[in-house]
PDB file of all heavy atoms in Angstrom:
ATOM      1  N   GLN R 231     -67.820 123.481  89.449  1.00  0.00           N
ATOM      2  CA  GLN R 231     -68.390 124.772  89.763  1.00  0.00           C
ATOM      3  C   GLN R 231     -68.694 124.887  91.253  1.00  0.00           C
ATOM      4  O   GLN R 231     -68.617 125.927  91.836  1.00  0.00           O
ATOM      5  CB  GLN R 231     -69.703 125.020  89.083  1.00  0.00           C
ATOM      6  CG  GLN R 231     -69.486 125.056  87.561  1.00  0.00           C
ATOM      7  CD  GLN R 231     -70.734 125.225  86.807  1.00  0.00           C
ATOM      8  OE1 GLN R 231     -71.825 125.225  87.332  1.00  0.00           O
ATOM      9  NE2 GLN R 231     -70.621 125.383  85.464  1.00  0.00           N
ATOM     10  N   ASP R 232     -68.818 123.760  91.925  1.00  0.00           N
ATOM     11  CA  ASP R 232     -69.047 123.688  93.349  1.00  0.00           C
ATOM     12  C   ASP R 232     -67.736 123.826  94.097  1.00  0.00           C
ATOM     13  O   ASP R 232     -66.804 123.108  93.783  1.00  0.00           O
ATOM     14  CB  ASP R 232     -69.772 122.368  93.752  1.00  0.00           C
ATOM     15  CG  ASP R 232     -70.206 122.375  95.129  1.00  0.00           C
ATOM     16  OD1 ASP R 232     -69.712 123.090  95.967  1.00  0.00           O
ATOM     17  OD2 ASP R 232     -71.071 121.520  95.517  1.00  0.00           O
ATOM     18  N   PRO R 233     -67.510 124.789  94.931  1.00  0.00           N
ATOM     19  CA  PRO R 233     -66.242 124.972  95.637  1.00  0.00           C
ATOM     20  C   PRO R 233     -65.788 123.783  96.426  1.00  0.00           C
ATOM     21  O   PRO R 233     -64.645 123.547  96.690  1.00  0.00           O
ATOM     22  CB  PRO R 233     -66.508 126.207  96.517  1.00  0.00           C
ATOM     23  CG  PRO R 233     -67.855 126.346  96.627  1.00  0.00           C
ATOM     24  CD  PRO R 233     -68.545 125.789  95.426  1.00  0.00           C
ATOM     25  N   ARG R 234     -66.748 122.925  96.792  1.00  0.00           N
ATOM     26  CA  ARG R 234     -66.514 121.657  97.502  1.00  0.00           C
ATOM     27  C   ARG R 234     -65.809 120.624  96.568  1.00  0.00           C
ATOM     28  O   ARG R 234     -65.304 119.587  96.988  1.00  0.00           O
ATOM     29  CB  ARG R 234     -67.735 121.059  98.137  1.00  0.00           C
ATOM     30  CG  ARG R 234     -68.294 121.918  99.233  1.00  0.00           C
ATOM     31  CD  ARG R 234     -69.471 121.444  99.756  1.00  0.00           C
ATOM     32  NE  ARG R 234     -70.554 121.499  98.675  1.00  0.00           N
ATOM     33  CZ  ARG R 234     -71.729 121.031  98.712  1.00  0.00           C
ATOM     34  NH1 ARG R 234     -72.112 120.285  99.663  1.00  0.00           N
ATOM     35  NH2 ARG R 234     -72.600 121.098  97.665  1.00  0.00           N
ATOM     36  N   GLU R 235     -65.763 120.935  95.284  1.00  0.00           N
ATOM     37  CA  GLU R 235     -65.209 120.029  94.249  1.00  0.00           C
ATOM     38  C   GLU R 235     -63.888 120.624  93.719  1.00  0.00           C
ATOM     39  O   GLU R 235     -63.724 120.673  92.480  1.00  0.00           O
ATOM     40  CB  GLU R 235     -66.260 119.581  93.250  1.00  0.00           C
ATOM     41  CG  GLU R 235     -67.278 118.791  93.884  1.00  0.00           C
ATOM     42  CD  GLU R 235     -68.219 118.115  92.822  1.00  0.00           C
ATOM     43  OE1 GLU R 235     -67.886 118.178  91.595  1.00  0.00           O
ATOM     44  OE2 GLU R 235     -69.222 117.577  93.218  1.00  0.00           O
ATOM     45  N   ALA R 236     -63.080 121.166  94.555  1.00  0.00           N
ATOM     46  CA  ALA R 236     -61.813 121.818  94.008  1.00  0.00           C
ATOM     47  C   ALA R 236     -60.929 120.778  93.347  1.00  0.00           C
ATOM     48  O   ALA R 236     -61.010 119.601  93.783  1.00  0.00           O
ATOM     49  CB  ALA R 236     -61.100 122.472  95.225  1.00  0.00           C
ATOM     50  N   PRO R 237     -60.315 121.182  92.289  1.00  0.00           N
ATOM     51  CA  PRO R 237     -59.460 120.175  91.661  1.00  0.00           C
ATOM     52  C   PRO R 237     -58.175 119.898  92.571  1.00  0.00           C
ATOM     53  O   PRO R 237     -57.768 120.686  93.344  1.00  0.00           O
ATOM     54  CB  PRO R 237     -58.948 120.914  90.404  1.00  0.00           C
ATOM     55  CG  PRO R 237     -59.085 122.414  90.762  1.00  0.00           C
ATOM     56  CD  PRO R 237     -60.224 122.480  91.666  1.00  0.00           C
ATOM     57  N   PRO R 238     -57.608 118.710  92.361  1.00  0.00           N
ATOM     58  CA  PRO R 238     -56.455 118.330  93.180  1.00  0.00           C
ATOM     59  C   PRO R 238     -55.209 119.119  92.713  1.00  0.00           C
ATOM     60  O   PRO R 238     -55.128 119.502  91.612  1.00  0.00           O
ATOM     61  CB  PRO R 238     -56.233 116.816  92.837  1.00  0.00           C
ATOM     62  CG  PRO R 238     -56.878 116.576  91.526  1.00  0.00           C
ATOM     63  CD  PRO R 238     -58.017 117.588  91.479  1.00  0.00           C
ATOM     64  N   GLN R 239     -54.324 119.414  93.668  1.00  0.00           N
ATOM     65  CA  GLN R 239     -53.059 120.067  93.314  1.00  0.00           C
ATOM     66  C   GLN R 239     -51.960 119.061  93.175  1.00  0.00           C
ATOM     67  O   GLN R 239     -50.882 119.355  92.667  1.00  0.00           O
ATOM     68  CB  GLN R 239     -52.653 121.147  94.352  1.00  0.00           C
ATOM     69  CG  GLN R 239     -53.754 122.237  94.308  1.00  0.00           C
ATOM     70  CD  GLN R 239     -53.359 123.360  95.346  1.00  0.00           C
ATOM     71  OE1 GLN R 239     -52.282 123.352  95.896  1.00  0.00           O
ATOM     72  NE2 GLN R 239     -54.315 124.264  95.568  1.00  0.00           N
ATOM     73  N   VAL R 240     -52.172 117.857  93.671  1.00  0.00           N
ATOM     74  CA  VAL R 240     -51.313 116.748  93.516  1.00  0.00           C
ATOM     75  C   VAL R 240     -51.850 115.718  92.530  1.00  0.00           C
ATOM     76  O   VAL R 240     -52.972 115.232  92.697  1.00  0.00           O
ATOM     77  CB  VAL R 240     -51.068 116.064  94.882  1.00  0.00           C
ATOM     78  CG1 VAL R 240     -50.134 114.941  94.755  1.00  0.00           C
ATOM     79  CG2 VAL R 240     -50.646 116.979  95.973  1.00  0.00           C
TER      80      VAL R 240
END
Side-chain angles (χ1 to χ4, degrees):
Q231 294 178 356
D232 188 337
R234 293 174 294 170
E235 293 189 11
Q239 293 181 11
V240 181

